Amino acid sequence: MNVYIQADFEGIAGMIEWDDYVTDSPMNQEKRARLRRILTSEVNAAAEGSFAGGADKVLIWDSHGPSNNCNNIYFEDLNPEVEIIIGWKGLPSFYPLLDSTFSAGIYIGGHAMQGSVKAILPHTKTNLNGTDYGEVGMFGIMCGWFGFPLIFVSGDKATVDEIKQISPKLEYVVTKESFSPYAAKTLVPEKAREMIRVGTEKALKRIKEIEPIKIPSPFVIKTETNQFAGKDLSLLFNSYVDPGNEIFGNQDVNPERARVLKKREIWDKEISFLVPPEEGT
Ligand SMILES: [Zn+2]
């Protein structure tokens, strides 16, 4: 039984601000290192739960980016039996090597779709056949396309609520409950890690009870911010894609920095209205 784990960042225990890979201050670098260690431990917990649940092979896709190159996990600290895909440029797909040789999908560190209330750092959405999906939902749909279920998700409560709408029987861990896009009550990482290990093992053992997410054809996809995932789905579904809005603006002296800051500015603008007035400082 082969397991595919997609790892994002925003949904891990303790993360409440955008991943700031531009600022070089020691304080920011230390914060990033702490969060990357937590991400690594949550992914490792999912891998170990998978092996305990009967997985023969675990492939991890370190998907947070691409602006920081999808290279967030301290892979040297992972269970030596896993394999991991890192890097972004030149990938064949947003879901590299995902295919019907896998039996189960797991999503670690998920966040809710753009516009979600009481959600940490909600962003991106893709409209498929008239329904909006977030990144976790799109991964679940991709797994379903290949004929197997998304069996486990970890992220904040808004993320889990979102995915349970389309897959009510999957296993999950709520890592934190959000007051706003930038504030939450969170589990301590050690607790989250243990719950993820137990939850993924249980999910593997319950796999027959969890249906693959199946979206009926024909497929019409409209993407806004999540262009890459939308384009990838379109190739698989051979459908029409509306590329939607261009979210990255002019680039100045340092194109990468300008692009990152522009993205953050746009995402902050999109979610700022979600901050309750009394908590908006
Ligand atoms: Zn991310």
Side-chain angles (χ1 to χ4, degrees):
M1 188 160 51
N2 297 341
V3 175
Y4 191 105
I5 299 177
Q6 181 170 0
D8 201 354
F9 209 175
E10 289 84 358
I12 63 170
M15 185 161 181
I16 55 162
E17 292 166 349
W18 296 119
D19 174 23
D20 180 358
Y21 43 86
V22 177
T23 306
D24 284 332
S25 75
M27 193 173 79
N28 184 54
Q29 290 304 318
E30 190 219 357
K31 184 183 79 176
R32 287 202 71 227
R34 286 171 61 205
L35 293 170
R36 290 176 65 193
R37 276 198 297 274
I38 296 167
L39 171 67
T40 303
S41 70
E42 292 192 6
V43 169
N44 224 1
E48 289 178 351
S50 297
F51 287 128
D56 301 303
K57 173 177 144 181
V58 173
L59 180 63
I60 296 160
W61 161 217
D62 186 349
S63 72
H64 174 77
S67 304
N68 61 341
N69 297 318
C70 298
N71 195 353
N72 311 283
I73 294 167
Y74 291 119
F75 44 80
E76 62 271 38
D77 293 334
L78 292 175
N79 180 307
E81 299 308 313
V82 307
E83 291 180 296
I84 180 168
I85 299 165
I86 53 176
W88 175 66
K89 287 180 183 169
L91 283 178
S93 149
F94 186 65
Y95 305 96
L97 304 181
L98 187 71
D99 62 23
S100 54
T101 64
F102 290 91
S103 302
I106 287 174
Y107 202 108
I108 299 298
H111 58 79
M113 77 174 87
Q114 177 186 332
S116 303
V117 295
K118 292 197 171 183
I120 282 290
L121 307 172
H123 61 279
T124 70
K125 69 181 172 189
T126 299
N127 186 287
L128 173 60
N129 290 1
T131 302
D132 288 332
Y133 298 97
E135 293 179 35
V136 178
M138 293 297 276
F139 176 65
I141 290 166
M142 287 299 301
C143 293
W145 170 254
F146 286 116
F148 61 87
L150 172 63
I151 60 168
F152 179 92
V153 171
S154 67
D156 72 348
K157 184 170 182 300
T159 306
V160 169
D161 288 346
E162 183 180 302
I163 194 65
K164 281 168 68 183
Q165 295 275 323
I166 52 174
S167 186
K169 291 183 181 169
L170 52 66
E171 292 288 331
Y172 58 87
V173 165
V174 173
T175 55
K176 55 201 170 191
E177 288 188 45
S178 309
F179 300 102
S180 80
Y182 311 107
K185 180 182 74 171
T186 180
L187 294 179
V188 169
E190 185 179 347
K191 181 73 172 179
R193 192 160 59 229
E194 177 59 12
M195 291 170 71
I196 289 169
R197 194 190 59 73
V198 170
T200 46
E201 179 179 353
K202 187 175 172 195
L204 259 291
K205 289 178 172 166
R206 286 188 53 234
I207 189 167
K208 289 197 168 56
E209 301 165 34
I210 306 170
E211 301 275 310
I213 300 168
K214 293 283 187 187
I215 305 295
S217 61
F219 303 107
V220 178
I221 298 167
K222 294 182 180 178
T223 66
E224 291 179 14
T225 51
N226 195 11
Q227 295 178 33
F228 193 26
K231 281 178 186 168
D232 195 65
L233 276 166
S234 74
L235 288 173
L236 282 162
F237 291 157
N238 192 25
S239 65
Y240 167 78
V241 177
D242 175 358
N245 303 321
E246 177 59 51
I247 64 163
F248 300 130
N250 294 331
Q251 300 181 352
D252 58 18
V253 186
N254 180 338
E256 174 62 11
R257 182 180 172 80
R259 196 167 77 93
V260 169
L261 294 177
K262 184 74 182 168
K263 184 170 74 171
R264 264 195 236 146
E265 181 190 312
I266 290 169
W267 282 353
D268 279 338
K269 201 168 155 193
E270 282 173 355
I271 66 181
S272 60
F273 73 95
L274 299 170
V275 183
E278 67 273 21
E279 295 172 12
T281 54

